[in-house]
Amino acid sequence: MRILVTGGAGYLGSHTVLTLLETGHEVTVLDNFQNSSPVAIRRIEELSGMPVPCLAADLSDSIAVRRALAATAPDAVVHFAGLKSVGDSTMDPLPYFLGNVGGALNLLEAMEEGGARRLLFSSSATVYGAPRTIPVPEDEPLSATNPYGRTKLMIEQMLGDLAAADDRWSIGILRYFNPVGAHPSGRLGEDPRGTPTNLIPLVGQVAVGLRPFVRIFGSDYDTPDGTGIRDFIHVLDLAKGHVAALDWIVSKTGARAWNLGTGRGYSVLEVLSAYSEAVGRDIPYRFVERRPGDIPASFADTSKAEQELGWKARHGLPEMVADHWRWQRLNPGGYGV
Ligand code: UD1
């Protein structure tokens, strides 16, 4: 298939573009490079041995988006592009609504106009708010606890309305749990701008000596070791989930959501211990106050994705942290090298 991938130079986008190429799809990337680097595209080309046409455009530029759709006439669009910092979204929400919700609207309008009505959307387990049921099933009530999460929820709702109104649309909503790791070559990985806020990038920075210790947010959660529990999923498993969901959207119509997680939770202390093992020495940490807005535990019920998509995550925590560590070691300055 011909696939247009928005945000294809970003962390999840780049691994998915590579996986799509390896599966035999043709890919064009649309990215504004605000939080990503063109170097990622060159590395995908190097790893795949295939050219990756890339359009530098912002989704707020509706003319550029229409042109991209007309030029590529894609069989499906995979939409990763968007802002993703919970903290930034709370301090400055408008860029989130404009960029994420406005950008999605421009994309949907251009798709409608171009007659390209198959879409995969990057959603997040954040739409479950503080889930009541764990492992979390897709029919758990949805809510938002911050503006970033609200943009994901609003877009999901828009997509549901669109598919209900016009049965030519075929939409897969993928709710990611905690994607981590990197391509095992060490050539592709996560390159956060500024100070990372997610656990694994911070642990990696402590491991290379960029920071003195990891701050563990809370030691008194109602979990076996008192630290938070999350469903960490290898980014390449996540990428394969997209390939499986593409097969679904070409054969069916309507809008449907699937969790992409492993179904298994690990605590912050377990992650630190696995990472220390990969590095070969202890990683220093200190317990600090809980981070406001954090939930004690979250991991996915993966049965729907397994049954309907025939997809299941394969990589365990040791591979996730070993691959992240290789990326961190070989690219201490990210794509700036
Ligand atoms: C965060 C976002 C979520 C987003 C997801 C993917 C928040 C509140 N949630 O999820 O909306 O979809 O990233 O980008 O930001 N931790 C520490 N020390 C640290 C960092 C994290 O102890 O320095 C702990 C957290 O308390 C949590 C776990 O590590 O228990 C994972 O945190 P993180 O990687 O930030 O992911 P989430 O909070 O699950």
Side-chain angles (χ1 to χ4, degrees), residues 84 86-87 124-126 146 148 176-179 197-200 202 214-218 221 227-230 232 268 291-296:
K84 61 171 186 181
V86 172
S124 162
T126 194
N146 56 70
Y148 156 76
Y176 311 147
F177 279 68
N178 290 60
T197 54
N198 293 128
L199 179 64
I200 300 262
L202 280 163
V214 178
R215 293 182 308 146
I216 298 186
F217 299 137
Y221 282 110
T227 65
I229 290 179
R230 295 291 184 276
F232 299 94
V268 175
R291 181 170 64 179
D294 272 354
I295 51 176

Side-chain angles (χ1 to χ4, degrees), residues 146-226:
N146 56 70
Y148 156 76
R150 203 168 332 277
T151 65
K152 293 290 176 191
L153 191 50
M154 287 168 78
I155 296 167
E156 282 204 12
Q157 289 166 337
M158 279 174 5
L159 295 175
D161 287 344
L162 188 58
D166 181 345
D167 60 14
R168 288 172 300 176
W169 277 91
S170 178
I171 298 170
I173 293 168
L174 301 176
R175 297 185 182 141
Y176 311 147
F177 279 68
N178 290 60
V180 297
H183 191 269
S185 63
R187 300 294 283 163
L188 285 183
E190 185 172 13
D191 181 13
R193 297 273 155 102
T195 307
T197 54
N198 293 128
L199 179 64
I200 300 262
L202 280 163
V203 173
Q205 292 197 351
V206 173
V208 285
L210 290 172
R211 294 173 194 280
F213 55 86
V214 178
R215 293 182 308 146
I216 298 186
F217 299 137
S219 58
D220 57 353
Y221 282 110
D222 185 15
T223 59
D225 66 21

